[in-house]
Amino acid sequence: MNSHVEPPPKREMGCFAKGCLLLLVFGILLVIVGVGGTFWSVRNVYLSDKPALAPETAPPTETGAVTPGETTAPAPSERSAEVRERLDTMKKAARSHEESEVELTAADINALIAANRKSSGTASVGINDTALQAQFSIPLQKLDVPFRNALGLGDRYLNATVTIVAPPGTNASSVQLSEVTLNGHTIPAGLLDWGLPGVGRSLRTYVIKYANQFGVTDGEIRDGKVILHTSGH
């Protein structure tokens, strides 16, 4: 007799997967237009016809990528599986109202990016003591941006860098971007709190959504790591 076998649950795509990349691109473009930019400037000033280099591995200056006794660092797929397991453990702790902590190095975050086919090659992260810098090089052709083809943006790339400094006690409602550049041009770092034209919500609402998804109550960046906490309440 044949028994019914339940399909394995689908693993949730992380913040660097297609949905978040689309949100990032669409949000930034709407913000630029909303503060007085034109579609000509979006295409020719803030977007590029060439990709920026976005290495998928951690910067060579990062230490601690190889644990004692190892001669080589784990493959990205192996590291990403281990990181996802730690994040799942944190999520379970949050649901059980338990205190927990997860430390993420740049190599951990880059492994998550590289292991997802939607985000692989589009972003990389480096952490220098107390600052995290994320580099994005996203081909608009890879994403279903609503007005991409109508405005001739299919051959353009969104090349951006975002720097974040998070002292102890920082949460999703208080985290700030300290520097944002788009194709080499500085744009206001307060864009997390700007309402997206035609959408109403700000990018921060989605930051809060992802924090709640994993039960993160606060975090910090120090000693070259992103440290996330659940409070147990």
Side-chain angles (χ1 to χ4, degrees):
M1 182 177 67
N2 294 330
S3 60
H4 178 68
V5 178
E6 292 290 339
K10 294 183 179 180
R11 181 178 293 275
E12 296 177 353
M13 292 193 298
C15 186
F16 286 101
K18 181 178 179 180
C20 192
L21 290 177
L22 176 59
L23 170 65
L24 175 70
V25 174
F26 191 44
I28 289 178
L29 295 183
L30 283 178
V31 166
I32 293 172
V33 174
V35 296
T38 65
F39 286 111
W40 183 91
S41 67
V42 169
R43 173 179 169 79
N44 297 287
V45 177
Y46 294 104
L47 297 179
S48 175
D49 60 349
K50 296 182 177 67
L53 294 178
E56 296 179 7
T57 57
T61 55
E62 177 182 306
T63 59
V66 181
T67 57
E70 291 181 330
T71 56
T72 59
S77 59
E78 296 173 354
R79 184 184 289 271
S80 67
E82 187 272 332
V83 175
R84 284 196 299 266
E85 183 176 346
R86 284 192 277 138
L87 291 173
D88 287 341
T89 299
M90 181 179 66
K91 185 189 298 186
K92 292 176 182 177
R95 290 175 177 172
S96 300
H97 304 288
E98 300 173 356
E99 291 187 12
S100 65
E101 177 181 291
V102 170
E103 296 185 352
L104 301 174
T105 65
D108 291 335
I109 299 172
N110 286 325
L112 290 175
I113 297 170
N116 191 298
R117 65 184 182 86
K118 297 294 186 181
S119 60
S120 179
T122 65
S124 66
V125 166
I127 306 175
N128 181 12
D129 195 15
T130 59
L132 178 149
Q133 185 178 78
Q135 179 185 10
F136 300 91
S137 186
I138 306 172
L140 297 194
Q141 187 177 20
K142 192 172 183 177
L143 300 176
D144 188 21
V145 179
F147 44 77
R148 180 195 65 194
N149 294 329
L151 298 175
L153 302 181
D155 63 341
R156 313 307 282 182
Y157 291 81
L158 187 145
N159 297 329
T161 59
V162 178
T163 303
I164 303 173
V165 177
T170 299
N171 57 43
S173 298
S174 64
V175 65
Q176 298 292 336
L177 309 180
S178 62
E179 184 179 359
V180 181
T181 63
L182 194 59
N183 199 28
H185 300 274
T186 300
I187 62 174
L191 63 86
L192 275 181
D193 295 307
W194 294 353
L196 303 180
V199 178
R201 293 184 176 182
S202 67
L203 290 175
R204 184 177 299 281
T205 61
Y206 297 95
V207 175
I208 294 172
K209 172 186 175 183
Y210 282 109
N212 291 338
Q213 178 179 324
F214 287 94
V216 176
T217 52
D218 65 280
E220 58 187 299
I221 300 173
R222 61 175 170 85
D223 302 327
K225 299 175 183 178
V226 174
I227 306 173
L228 306 176
H229 304 276
T230 64
S231 67
H233 299 300

